């Protein structure tokens, strides 16, 4: 999916970064979220195992449009389109940016 636009979204810890990518087809939006998985509730909601060696994860979800503030529905939270794990926060921030770049350029099909 090539991006029509890319928007960084506000977030609070344990979320490290959130980006919404709009595709060219109407209603096609992806939410790229990078989180610290040590937060037990967030890890359970995202269906991420609490792996102590990879405490950070980037996940990509299909999401609603601007009318619902790019919310990911509960069914979609259990089924990410793409996931990548990291060992530290710096690597997670870099990985988030890389994931956004490859999706926005159309090099990663999700």
């Amino acid at each position: 999916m090539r991006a029509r636009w890319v928007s960084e979204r506000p977030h609070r810890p344990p979320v490290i970064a959130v980006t919404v990518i709009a595709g060219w087809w109407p209603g096609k939006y992806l939410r790229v979220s990078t989180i610290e998985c040590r937060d037990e509730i967030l890890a359970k909601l995202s269906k991420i195992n609490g792996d102590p060696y990879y405490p950070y994860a980037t996940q990509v979800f299909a999401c609603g449009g601007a009318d619902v503030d790019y919310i990911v529905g509960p069914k979609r939270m259990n089924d990410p389109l793409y996931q990548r794990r990291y060992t530290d926060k710096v690597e997670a921030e870099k990985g988030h940016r890389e994931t956004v770049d490859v999706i926005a350029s159309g090099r990663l099909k999700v």
Side-chain angles (χ1 to χ4, degrees):
M1 168 177 113
R2 291 195 55 89
R4 181 167 35 111
W5 52 258
V6 176
S7 175
E8 300 297 323
R9 307 303 296 171
H11 58 278
R12 292 186 297 230
V15 177
I16 295 169
V18 176
T19 306
V20 174
I21 303 170
W24 286 95
W25 289 100
K28 177 72 173 179
Y29 297 93
L30 296 176
R31 180 183 177 103
V32 181
S33 299
T34 300
I35 62 171
E36 182 176 358
C37 306
R38 291 183 184 130
D39 183 280
E40 188 176 322
I41 294 170
L42 191 57
K44 283 183 181 179
L45 285 173
S46 302
K47 297 286 184 180
I48 297 175
N49 297 342
D51 186 341
Y53 298 107
Y54 297 98
Y56 300 91
T58 295
Q59 293 182 313
V60 178
F61 302 96
C63 67
D67 57 328
V68 292
D69 196 29
Y70 311 106
I71 301 293
V72 176
K75 289 182 181 176
R76 292 181 180 157
M77 285 279 295
N78 295 332
D79 191 22
L81 302 171
Y82 174 81
Q83 180 172 302
R84 187 171 163 190
R85 302 293 297 259
Y86 313 98
T87 57
D88 61 46
K89 187 174 181 177
V90 173
E91 184 183 351
E93 290 168 343
K94 181 181 174 193
H96 179 90
R97 187 80 255 144
E98 289 172 356
T99 302
V100 169
D101 290 344
V102 297
I103 291 171
S105 68
R107 293 179 285 151
L108 177 65
K109 307 294 182 198
V110 289

